[in-house]
């Protein structure tokens, strides 16, 4: 199994997971042309995808899903709450998923799990091929016992490090947006991410990637430092998903 990012951040998100002959795109917050270019950078065409799974209805995650799915006849899987809030899925084959029930897509098993975020019915996912498991957690305001239990034992983890608390407090956002971002239904702060990682760290955890790093309220260096301290490694050994380039294929 391997995975790669089209880009990660408030301007658009997309993550491709591949097992055997099956490739699934998690979220698509980019326009049709941009999505095609970013997939090509990974050696893929849109038609190589088996499906798109969606975490929630915010535009940086679902904004490009409808156009990509319609043009290339890709099925879309998402929760009932996300579907209720989506506004560009006409003509798309949609399957509603249970936020607690795993499902199979050919060579991939996918486990959704609910997260605290200011959306209708947001989820994140664990992807598995029968031997290895990749956990993804972004767009969550805090950790929960259920999140910890679901991500326990994963072999690789894409983990949100959205903001630094001091930078957010002293940054340009209005007070209301600061409360939203830093609240229990907002986004994970570096220290929160590090604390959660400390609970998930185990000897088989081979790769951790910091994701959804804010351009205004964080830096890649701060995100790396927070996670490296938990992993007992050098800062530059921690990978960071960037907005413009995402990251290239990583094998699990």
């Amino acid at each position: 199994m391997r995975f790669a990012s089209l880009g990660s951040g408030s301007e658009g998100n997309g993550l491709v997971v591949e097992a055997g002959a099956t490739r699934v795109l998690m979220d698509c917050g980019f326009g049709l042309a941009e999505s095609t270019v970013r997939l090509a950078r990974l050696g893929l065409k849109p038609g190589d995808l088996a499906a798109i799974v969606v975490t929630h209805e915010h535009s940086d995650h679902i904004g490009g899903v409808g156009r990509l799915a319609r043009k290339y006849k890709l099925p879309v899987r998402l929760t009932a709450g996300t579907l209720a809030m989506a506004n560009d899925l006409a003509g798309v084959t949609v399957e509603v998923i249970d936020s607690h029930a795993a499902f199979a897509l050919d060579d991939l098993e996918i486990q959704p799990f609910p997260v605290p975020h200011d959306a209708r019915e947001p989820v994140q996912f664990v992807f598995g091929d029968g031997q290895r498991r990749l956990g993804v957690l972004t767009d969550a305001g805090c950790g929960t016992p259920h999140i910890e239990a679901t991500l326990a034992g994963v072999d690789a983890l894409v983990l949100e490090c959205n903001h630094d608390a001091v930078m957010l407090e002293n940054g340009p956002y209005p007070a209301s947006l600061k409360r939203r971002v830093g609240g229990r239904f907002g986004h994970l702060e570096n220290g929160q991410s590090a604390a959660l990682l400390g609970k998930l760290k185990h000897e088989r955890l081979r790769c951790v990637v910091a994701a959804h790093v804010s351009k205004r309220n964080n830096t890649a260096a701060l995100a790396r430092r927070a996670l490296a301290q938990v992993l007992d490694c050098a800062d530059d050994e921690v990978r960071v998903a960037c907005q413009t380039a995402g990251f290239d294929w990583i094998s699990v």
Side-chain angles (χ1 to χ4, degrees):
M1 186 168 66
R2 63 178 187 164
F3 61 102
S5 172
L6 304 187
S8 179
S10 60
E11 297 173 11
N13 295 273
L15 183 80
V16 181
V17 184
E18 176 185 281
T22 306
R23 301 176 190 90
V24 170
L25 177 62
M26 188 189 94
D27 291 339
C28 183
F30 306 103
L32 183 60
E34 182 67 14
S35 298
T36 303
V37 168
R38 289 175 183 246
L39 284 166
R41 196 165 59 205
L42 300 174
L44 299 176
K45 301 183 296 294
D48 294 329
L49 300 171
I52 305 173
V53 296
V54 179
T55 59
H56 64 294
E57 71 271 15
H58 291 165
S59 61
D60 56 325
H61 293 265
I62 202 174
V65 169
R67 283 165 288 178
L68 190 67
R70 272 191 298 274
K71 182 172 178 63
Y72 294 98
K73 297 180 172 54
L74 303 174
V76 174
R77 299 199 181 192
L78 71 179
T79 65
T82 300
L83 177 59
M85 300 301 291
N87 58 14
D88 186 32
L89 295 181
V92 174
T93 300
V94 171
E95 183 171 337
V96 173
I97 60 174
D98 182 329
S99 61
H100 293 274
F103 59 92
L105 273 173
D106 298 326
D107 296 323
L108 272 172
E109 182 179 75
I110 304 174
Q111 174 67 64
F113 59 98
V115 295
H117 192 52
D118 56 353
R120 181 72 170 268
E121 192 183 357
V123 292
Q124 295 288 302
F125 296 98
V126 174
F127 300 88
D129 66 354
Q131 294 183 315
R132 303 289 185 183
R133 296 168 67 235
L134 161 69
V136 183
L137 178 64
T138 70
D139 297 79
C142 60
T144 68
H146 184 64
I147 288 174
E148 294 170 15
T150 304
L151 294 176
V154 296
D155 301 279
L157 178 64
V158 176
L159 178 61
E160 177 173 56
C161 289
N162 176 256
H163 61 280
D164 169 79
V166 175
M167 287 186 68
L168 178 64
E169 178 62 28
N170 297 326
Y173 284 2
S176 59
L177 184 53
K178 290 179 181 180
R179 287 193 296 270
R180 173 188 172 270
V181 170
R184 288 182 55 81
F185 295 93
H187 293 272
L188 289 171
E189 188 267 342
N190 292 339
Q192 291 175 296
S193 302
L196 178 60
L197 179 59
K199 297 178 181 180
L200 300 175
K201 180 183 174 184
H202 63 98
E203 62 182 13
R204 282 180 41 240
L205 182 59
R206 301 172 57 191
C207 176
V208 179
V209 182
H212 220 301
V213 177
S214 171
K215 285 185 174 182
R216 291 189 173 185
N217 301 304
N218 206 2
T219 67
L222 288 173
R224 284 193 181 97
R225 186 178 308 157
L227 301 187
Q229 289 175 346
V230 179
L231 296 170
D232 298 319
C233 67
D235 291 5
D236 60 7
E237 293 181 56
V238 177
R239 306 186 201 210
V240 177
C242 76
Q243 181 68 85
T244 56
F247 56 82
D248 205 350
W249 290 108
I250 298 174
S251 295
V252 182

